[in-house]
Amino acid sequence: QVQLVESGGGSVQAGGSLRLSCTASGYSRKIYWMGWFRQTPGKEREVVAGINVGLTPTYYADSVKGRFTISQDAPKNTVYLQMSSLKPEDTAMYYCAAHGTFVEWIRGAAYWGQGSQVTVSA
């Protein structure tokens, strides 16, 4: 069973930066994509960014392109989301997610972290 443990998040003023981390344990060789989704009360969950584990390809939602950067430390089974130029509309609970293929991941991953709250004030 794969477990995802998140850290980071917090509160920041608009224009500030935060970093999220997500470490996978009980690692399955079938996990090829990891990344983050976010959700606010009353809204549907939306994808934020993802990375092909151990490889180069990444994916970003249009709303975060140019502001967020996803990276990884493959030997540590850890991915990072550096969030810069944060806006109040980025406020949400961010969930780390992992799955086997990109399509499976973006449609709703099999494995989820506990969530990290990100709050951006104006």
Side-chain angles (χ1 to χ4, degrees):
Q1 181 70 19
V2 175
Q3 292 183 328
L4 304 178
V5 177
E6 302 181 45
S7 62
S11 298
V12 67
Q13 289 187 329
S17 299
L18 288 171
R19 190 176 82 156
L20 303 178
S21 301
C22 177
T23 299
S25 62
Y27 186 72
S28 168
R29 294 182 179 179
K30 294 183 179 180
I31 290 179
Y32 295 121
W33 276 86
M34 287 180 66
W36 277 268
F37 290 71
R38 66 186 181 187
Q39 189 168 25
T40 55
K43 293 186 178 181
E44 291 188 0
R45 182 180 60 201
E46 63 173 347
V47 65
V48 177
I51 190 165
N52 198 173
V53 176
L55 299 173
T56 304
T58 57
Y59 174 88
Y60 294 96
D62 288 343
S63 59
V64 305
K65 283 181 181 177
R67 300 188 298 120
F68 291 13
T69 303
I70 191 167
S71 60
Q72 64 182 312
D73 186 339
K76 294 183 178 180
N77 296 328
T78 299
V79 296
Y80 305 97
L81 185 67
Q82 180 66 45
M83 304 180 289
S84 302
S85 301
L86 282 161
K87 305 175 181 180
E89 51 263 44
D90 293 317
T91 295
M93 184 69 79
Y94 285 67
Y95 295 93
C96 179
H99 210 138
T101 68
F102 173 75
V103 172
E104 292 171 327
W105 174 79
I106 202 168
R107 286 181 176 177
Y111 308 107
W112 295 89
Q114 79 276 17
S116 298
Q117 179 65 39
V118 171
T119 301
V120 184
S121 57

